[in-house]
Amino acid sequence: MRATGFAAVCTAILLLGGCSGEEKPAAKPATDAAQLASAAAAGTQKARSSKVALETTAADGRKVVVTSSGLYEGPNSKFSMVAEIDGEKRDLIFADGVLYYHLSDAQLQEFKTGKEWVKITAGGKDSVSAANGELMTEVVETMDPTRTIDRISKSGKVVKSEQADVNGTAATHYVLDLGGAPAEMWLDAEQRPVRVTLGKSTVNYDSWASDVVIIAPPPEAIGDSR
């Protein structure tokens, strides 16, 4: 029998990749932290990469907005970031466990160097690390879903769960207790994080399984900010 009316239209749209009937429902909620961590880890590992957007407020009151591409490989996770701190934008790369900061033109003149990148660390004594090292190290840790999942597996408790919608994506919303620290996580139908809130930070994930390549700056481009 030939499809007619709305059914025919919807069938045609589905063949083109549209129609609301294609939307997957939210996954069945996990009942405990171990189950949640296992499901989220599997979804993240399968997709391996995404786009990331983070908003937070630093301890000193500065507003921080970060847009990033992330490649998730456990302890070898990598990020290519644009961080806007109080309206001033900077490029950063986190790769091979090292955080690299791209110097502005003014900083290149200040440090009298032609090398565009420097390494920054939490607690570092150089000027760039002193200004942003601790903050950006915390940002990397907050953006990385594998670190959040690890915290859930070690000390997390599921306080409650419910079905929700995040910008048109069906998700399962979890309210968590991470060893006394409140948190929330939204997982899509593929058990991938859609949104995570930790303290004053909100992280949104989309474009999962996108083509992401992140490479550390070449050694000859890395200088000293002292």
Side-chain angles (χ1 to χ4, degrees):
M1 181 180 294
R2 187 174 61 183
T4 59
F6 173 79
V9 173
C10 193
T11 299
I13 295 175
L14 282 169
L15 290 173
L16 294 173
C19 194
S20 60
E22 192 180 44
E23 177 70 23
K24 292 184 179 180
K28 183 178 179 180
T31 56
D32 59 42
Q35 185 183 19
L36 171 60
S38 177
T44 299
Q45 289 168 5
K46 182 178 180 181
R48 289 193 67 241
S49 63
S50 76
K51 304 298 182 182
V52 193
L54 173 145
E55 292 187 13
T56 190
T57 301
D60 57 8
R62 290 182 294 172
K63 182 180 179 181
V64 181
V65 177
V66 180
T67 55
S68 172
S69 294
L71 184 62
Y72 313 120
E73 299 176 337
N76 297 315
S77 293
K78 301 177 182 179
F79 296 91
S80 177
M81 301 173 280
V82 176
E84 183 175 342
I85 305 174
D86 268 354
E88 187 176 353
K89 292 185 177 180
R90 289 289 177 268
D91 294 328
L92 298 102
I93 293 175
F94 180 77
D96 306 320
V98 179
L99 185 57
Y100 300 93
Y101 178 99
H102 190 258
L103 296 175
S104 66
D105 291 342
Q107 288 170 325
L108 286 171
Q109 294 180 1
E110 177 186 349
F111 301 138
K112 297 180 173 60
T113 179
K115 298 186 177 183
E116 297 183 350
W117 295 87
V118 293
K119 298 177 183 179
I120 65 174
T121 58
K125 301 304 181 184
D126 60 279
S127 59
V128 175
S129 291
N132 295 299
E134 185 173 350
L135 171 61
M136 292 313 302
T137 299
E138 181 180 339
V139 163
V140 169
E141 292 178 351
T142 303
M143 287 196 308
D144 189 349
T146 63
R147 297 178 190 242
T148 302
I149 292 166
D150 185 56
R151 288 182 65 184
I152 293 172
S153 67
K154 290 179 178 178
S155 61
K157 293 181 181 179
V158 176
V159 177
K160 72 173 184 177
S161 63
E162 61 186 357
Q163 300 305 305
D165 178 279
V166 180
N167 297 326
T169 298
T172 304
H173 173 213
Y174 294 92
V175 177
L176 305 164
D177 180 350
L178 302 184
E184 296 178 71
M185 175 179 279
W186 289 257
L187 299 183
D188 67 11
E190 304 297 329
Q191 303 285 26
R192 304 168 302 196
V194 178
R195 177 178 294 163
V196 175
T197 63
L198 295 167
K200 296 181 179 180
S201 301
T202 298
V203 189
N204 289 292
Y205 301 89
D206 61 27
S207 303
W208 280 97
S210 52
D211 187 13
V212 173
V213 177
I214 299 171
I215 302 173
E220 61 271 19
I222 302 170
D224 190 341
S225 66
R226 293 177 178 80

